[in-house]
Amino acid sequence: MSRDFRTAIATVCLSGALEDKLAAAASAGFDGVEIFEPDLVASPLPPGEVRLRCADLGLSVDLYQPFRDLDSTVPDRFAANLRRAERKFDVMEELGADTVLVCSSVADDAVEDLDVLAEQLRELAERAGARGLRIAYEALAWGRHVNTYDRSWEAVRRADHPALGLCLDSFHILSRGSDPAGIAGIPGEKLFFLQLADAPHLSMDVLQWSRHHRLFPGQGAFDLPGFLAPVLAAGYSGPLSLEVFNDVFRQADPARAAVDAHRSLLALAEATLPAAAGPPAPAVRGHAFVELSADDSLSPVLAALGFARTGQHRTKPVERWEQGSARILVNRSGSPAAVGALAVESADPSGAAHRATWLDATRLPRERGPAEADLAAVTAPDGTALFFCRTGSEEDWTGDFVPTGETAPGIGVTAIDHVGLAQPFDHFDEAVLFYRSVLGLEPAADGEFAAPFGLVRSRAVADADRRVRLALTVSLLRRGEWAPGVSEPQYVALAVDDVVAAARAARAAGAPLLAIPDNYYADLAARLDLPAERIAEYRELGVLHEENPDGAYLQVCTEVLGGRVFLALVQRLGEYDGYGWTDAPVRMAAHRRRRLAREHAHA
Amino acid sequence: MSRDFRTAIATVCLSGALEDKLAAAASAGFDGVEIFEPDLVASPLPPGEVRLRCADLGLSVDLYQPFRDLDSTVPDRFAANLRRAERKFDVMEELGADTVLVCSSVADDAVEDLDVLAEQLRELAERAGARGLRIAYEALAWGRHVNTYDRSWEAVRRADHPALGLCLDSFHILSRGSDPAGIAGIPGEKLFFLQLADAPHLSMDVLQWSRHHRLFPGQGAFDLPGFLAPVLAAGYSGPLSLEVFNDVFRQADPARAAVDAHRSLLALAEATLPAAAGPPAPAVRGHAFVELSADDSLSPVLAALGFARTGQHRTKPVERWEQGSARILVNRSGSPAAVGALAVESADPSGAAHRATWLDATRLPRERGPAEADLAAVTAPDGTALFFCRTGSEEDWTGDFVPTGETAPGIGVTAIDHVGLAQPFDHFDEAVLFYRSVLGLEPAADGEFAAPFGLVRSRAVADADRRVRLALTVSLLRRGEWAPGVSEPQYVALAVDDVVAAARAARAAGAPLLAIPDNYYADLAARLDLPAERIAEYRELGVLHEENPDGAYLQVCTEVLGGRVFLALVQRLGEYDGYGWTDAPVRMAAHRRRRLAREHAHA
């Protein structure tokens, strides 16, 4: 189209996988795209192929973004950041992108002195310019020392390098109330890139917080026992009353919400008032088993993962599979794979069930159980059955199974590390409170991540010894009309001591391990100082590696197994206490890709 | 249950109508409820019957809330507030509630001097005490002068009246970071009520704003032409690129989102760059017609509302109904009532369609139109057809209709005031931009309200002369599994000069006007200084009355007419520029009630 301006869109604006985004942008008439790095990292397309794809679609690659936290007051870190940049320049050359967005640093070691900052930017620009690339430096509104466009311009002006210019983003400038008039005085050739976004006027003041985001006690972050204690100490004798304004509860089934609310008061009163104590929560000692409903495809995968089929249920089509202390029951109901039941080892199963009932949980009729033994069980908010077991005791559930005598050498699985349970959108907070109050678990991690098909909030609950861990996730806005079946699956994470060895053995035995794109490993190599051989092993086996100062978390996932479940082998290094959420978007994109490939193959 | 504490829940915590909430609370085992005033106001149950209902359910009515903005530095206003309180005491006596929550004032005239405040609280308490009632005074975290519990306690302490005590709310105290330990020093008998809520730690800082709430240009509040102008003045020649992080777009169909995004850049460039101007937006001059698909039940209602059936389409089962300049086409397709098409009077229909197409709108195939004339038409984001007409011109659509010669005296409808279009949850921002850019309308009002079944966001767009107004609403989180069919209906608001006379005539003719509960009028009488006869008329006819310093908005609604449409008669007083959103929750609850009654009658 002959116009006086060109249009572009950042891939982050659009839902889906990178190829969905490129196709949508081209079809809508955009001239170019900004490639948002996480979209490339999650994509199986090599950068050179993205370049060709864009060319075929008539799209230019106008920007690669973002490069974060370049400058540093610590010389070693700055040197590492330059090395990281060189890796990204490699990617840009393959992509055919000549400009990279460099954000002002938000890190503790960000450079405050404008001359030092200019010098570091000049050094980066010199390297970029030598390869025919350009640096567009942008002041983030929340940058540590550079958060206004005039300050970013002053740094660029002092650096005075032809390969260095500014990126201006309307959000960062207008959200701070800066006057854009001064931009007119900047030389046009120094304005390398322009990003546009509108926004509503928003202030999440305490009023908005109060009117939309309150929760029932035990679902949030307030110390409510610490609040209630002085009120009772003062002699208050009226009711404990809930006043909770919450957008989700406002539209939820009131009968369910009221049960959730009532449970919150029982738990709060118990935590504060000795007279209000309910039946105690017996200690949980680990995952007893996970029951998966399944068709015939699941058992071979368990075998390939080193599990032995150690038992066959006396009366039901249920198999018991074991490895280390990990036990998985396979209910060969023929239905698509899903987590049907969780079972925890309890110091006192009937006491635990008694407590759950006191907390308004629904007792599960016995016939629903996977076992003949009179296992105490209740229904969790998402419908999963929750069993309380004491394996090895008199009422042992294992007696319901006829031993097969089968054994397997195993691949090193030692236990169930955790179970991942995607929640219905309006039962997420309820689930957190349920597991806290019924099992005595405590919130162990909180997060949110931008998954390929929408934002996902996540929260893990665990016991203090980390013997029972549950990772809960929710897609608050996900409706999936345009891409059905991409909602977050459930999973069982299996603990191993050496994920590379375990994955190699599993693959040799035919386990359908999920392939992770090369772009992920290129990015991993740029980000972390890992030996090249190790990255090569990771790439070969599809190992995802995330780390923080506490340690690292390595995982290998299977494909989604004929339903909404996958299995993962996970290795924790050091004191890592997370749940793989950093890499979850990459894993979710890979799962979606496999699904499409399978559907394509069957079509 | 024998416990050392009683439990209660505010009705505002739960979704649904008041009776749904009470049933849910009782079923979950709560001992009592706080009655949230808007729930009572929207309910048809007289307060005495709510009392009986609660007693039947085993619930005590522990609190009536909230009473806002009592104290005032303006003596007349304080006197008016005391009169308002007396009306609420009447309601409390019928309800059987002995305690009312009085919030610290947020108004400009709030009293700062603690002795004066104590005196005003004492006066209120004296009146309450005389009727055996109690005042629980609460410091809102955003109260104007009283926003901490120690300040509210100081006021109560100085007032020193047995009928005056404190209400403590954990949210208001903990959200501000106050130390609750000091509460232990307050005499217990002065702690009249305790409200509990948890909350996540939230700070809607610029980072969160940026990552979740950005919009495409023209959808938000930023002055982006004013931002782009200096950038272009500086000589920037790169692409106009969008970088928008938005939780809704993240999960929307990328093909649609990209069209929306592209449109935003065309409109922004046009507003800034002379060379980028598209075809001009011809002036809109009013609503030409609204086409409603309908079964046989709609036409009698139009007749009862004073419309004449002035034409019958030459070839299609479409009738033309007219009154004043309001025209409604009834497409007797037999399908449930819905808005099928909007038509605006345009100074240049084909130019308007040309512009719409330039803005990536989809042209509507001619056969979909209600007329034979080659009307220019496009599809709006929610699927509604949008026609551009010039009634009275050569290509006049009215020629497609055979005149019936029928006339009607009318009930005073002069024109279409506006059309209310509930939007699919992920096309709300897109719709705003569509009507802005395609029709040249501008955002005219913004709001959100807590509807009985979830939060509703609203935004109106209109031309400068207010000849074309569209009220857009969206239920972002509404999924409706527990209460299907209660999503917000569409409506056509018909302008009248005397809503009482028009409603009386309509009712005499058999129009199914929506009954509004007495509680609404009791509240109206308490809030506003309206003559008793006027309120009696309102009550008789179901008139909703909202006002602000600009004027007032009076409306009478029909029941929902066999689908998802209702009609409203609206009268604007003064310069009132709103859309009835203040009273929308009451109207929505009434619509829901009628629906249930009909379903019950048919069952």
Side-chain angles (χ1 to χ4, degrees), chain A residues 3-10 12-15 20 24-25 28-30 34 36 62 65 141-142 168-175 180-181 183-184 186-188 191-202 204 206-224 226-228 230-231 233-236 239-245 247-255 257-259 261-262 265-266 268-269 273 275-276 360 425 448 450 452-455 475-480 482, chain B residues 3-10 12-15 20 24-25 28-30 34 36 62 65 141-142 168-175 180-181 183-184 186-188 191-202 204 206-224 226-228 230-231 233-236 239-245 247-255 257-259 261-262 265-266 268-269 273 275-276 360 425 448 450 452-455 475-480 482:
Chain A
R3 289 190 312 256
D4 211 34
F5 63 99
R6 297 177 55 251
T7 58
I9 185 166
V12 73
C13 304
L14 302 171
S15 184
D20 299 320
F30 281 94
E34 305 175 25
F36 184 59
D62 291 322
Q65 61 109 340
W142 53 90
L168 299 177
D169 181 316
S170 63
F171 182 87
H172 292 300
I173 295 170
L174 299 179
S175 66
I183 297 170
I186 301 173
L191 299 182
F192 282 8
F193 211 77
L194 175 67
Q195 294 179 314
L196 294 164
D198 201 344
H201 285 310
L202 268 188
M204 180 60 89
V206 72
L207 176 64
Q208 293 300 311
W209 187 17
S210 170
R211 293 215 173 142
H212 300 288
H213 301 284
R214 292 187 181 208
L215 292 168
F216 295 128
Q219 297 178 342
F222 286 174
D223 173 14
L224 286 171
F227 170 81
L228 184 54
V231 175
Y236 174 73
L240 307 185
S241 188
L242 296 164
E243 190 187 35
V244 170
F245 304 85
D247 291 347
V248 174
F249 302 161
R250 271 188 202 287
Q251 58 80 61
D253 181 343
V259 169
H262 195 253
L265 282 186
L266 295 178
L268 172 62
L273 269 170
D360 303 327
F425 94 102
E448 67 179 24
F453 299 92
L455 193 82
S475 298
L476 202 57
L477 282 177
R478 177 73 194 139
R479 299 205 181 171
W482 82 271
Chain B
R3 288 191 312 257
D4 213 35
F5 63 100
R6 297 178 56 252
T7 58
I9 186 166
V12 73
C13 304
L14 301 171
S15 184
D20 300 320
F30 281 94
E34 305 175 24
F36 184 59
D62 292 322
Q65 60 109 340
W142 52 91
L168 298 177
D169 182 317
S170 63
F171 182 88
H172 292 300
I173 294 169
L174 299 178
S175 66
I183 296 170
I186 300 174
L191 299 181
F192 281 9
F193 211 77
L194 175 66
Q195 293 179 314
L196 293 164
D198 202 343
H201 284 311
L202 267 189
M204 178 61 87
V206 73
L207 176 63
Q208 293 301 311
W209 187 17
S210 171
R211 293 213 173 144
H212 300 288
H213 299 285
R214 293 187 181 208
L215 293 169
F216 295 128
Q219 298 179 341
F222 286 174
D223 174 13
L224 287 171
F227 170 80
L228 184 54
V231 176
Y236 174 73
L240 308 185
S241 188
L242 295 165
E243 190 187 36
V244 169
F245 304 85
D247 291 347
V248 174
F249 302 160
R250 272 187 202 287
Q251 60 80 61
D253 180 343
V259 169
H262 194 253
L265 283 186
L266 295 178
L268 172 62
L273 269 170
D360 302 327
F425 94 102
E448 65 179 27
F453 299 92
L455 193 81
S475 298
L476 203 57
L477 281 177
R478 177 75 193 137
R479 300 203 180 172
W482 82 271

Side-chain angles (χ1 to χ4, degrees), chain B residues 144-499:
Chain B
R144 192 163 177 85
H145 301 299
V146 176
N147 46 39
T148 58
Y149 75 83
D150 46 347
R151 199 162 164 89
S152 61
W153 164 233
E154 186 55 26
V156 166
R157 195 190 62 76
R158 293 192 196 183
D160 191 25
H161 192 285
L164 179 67
L166 281 184
C167 175
L168 298 177
D169 182 317
S170 63
F171 182 88
H172 292 300
I173 294 169
L174 299 178
S175 66
R176 293 183 57 101
S178 298
D179 181 355
I183 296 170
I186 300 174
E189 72 273 12
K190 281 300 188 184
L191 299 181
F192 281 9
F193 211 77
L194 175 66
Q195 293 179 314
L196 293 164
D198 202 343
H201 284 311
L202 267 189
S203 63
M204 178 61 87
D205 55 12
V206 73
L207 176 63
Q208 293 301 311
W209 187 17
S210 171
R211 293 213 173 144
H212 300 288
H213 299 285
R214 293 187 181 208
L215 293 169
F216 295 128
Q219 298 179 341
F222 286 174
D223 174 13
L224 287 171
F227 170 80
L228 184 54
V231 176
L232 298 175
Y236 174 73
S237 62
L240 308 185
S241 188
L242 295 165
E243 190 187 36
V244 169
F245 304 85
N246 179 293
D247 291 347
V248 174
F249 302 160
R250 272 187 202 287
Q251 60 80 61
D253 180 343
R256 286 197 59 156
V259 169
D260 185 25
H262 194 253
R263 177 180 300 136
S264 79
L265 283 186
L266 295 178
L268 172 62
E270 176 182 54
T272 322
L273 269 170
V284 294
R285 294 174 173 165
H287 293 273
F289 62 82
V290 175
E291 184 201 358
L292 301 176
S293 61
D295 58 20
D296 291 343
S297 65
L298 183 60
S299 295
V301 175
L302 287 173
L305 290 172
F307 280 77
R309 196 179 63 104
T310 59
Q312 173 68 49
H313 197 276
R314 296 184 186 283
T315 59
K316 298 175 182 174
V318 178
E319 301 170 347
R320 186 183 67 208
W321 291 77
E322 292 188 74
Q323 183 175 187
S325 71
R327 299 183 201 94
I328 293 178
L329 301 192
V330 177
N331 191 331
R332 299 180 80 143
S333 54
S335 51
V339 172
L342 291 180
V344 294
E345 293 288 346
S346 170
D348 172 9
S350 69
H354 186 48
R355 174 173 179 78
T357 310
W358 178 76
L359 283 161
D360 302 327
T362 306
R363 270 306 265 276
L364 199 67
R366 187 174 154 235
E367 59 271 23
R368 268 204 56 194
E372 301 285 281
D374 193 9
L375 287 180
V378 295
T379 306
D382 66 355
T384 304
L386 174 62
F387 287 87
F388 305 102
C389 306
R390 196 167 52 177
T391 307
S393 70
E394 280 181 24
E395 66 270 33
D396 188 352
W397 60 281
T398 57
D400 294 339
F401 289 82
V402 182
T404 62
E406 295 176 22
T407 58
I411 63 166
V413 169
T414 57
I416 291 175
D417 181 272
H418 70 277
V419 183
L421 294 171
Q423 297 295 303
F425 94 102
D426 51 359
H427 299 307
F428 180 66
D429 296 308
E430 179 186 354
V432 169
L433 174 62
F434 176 88
Y435 290 114
R436 282 185 84 165
S437 59
V438 169
L439 291 184
L441 306 182
E442 280 301 317
D446 262 315
E448 65 179 27
F449 53 87
F453 299 92
L455 193 81
V456 174
R457 288 198 194 145
S458 52
R459 197 156 188 204
V461 289
D463 69 309
D465 296 332
R466 300 296 190 260
R467 291 192 290 189
V468 173
R469 299 175 184 258
L470 301 173
L472 308 173
T473 53
V474 67
S475 298
L476 203 57
L477 281 177
R478 177 75 193 137
R479 300 203 180 172
E481 281 104 355
W482 82 271
V486 297
S487 57
E488 174 69 345
Q490 303 169 317
Y491 65 90
V492 182
L494 303 162
V496 296
D497 292 329
D498 180 345
V499 75

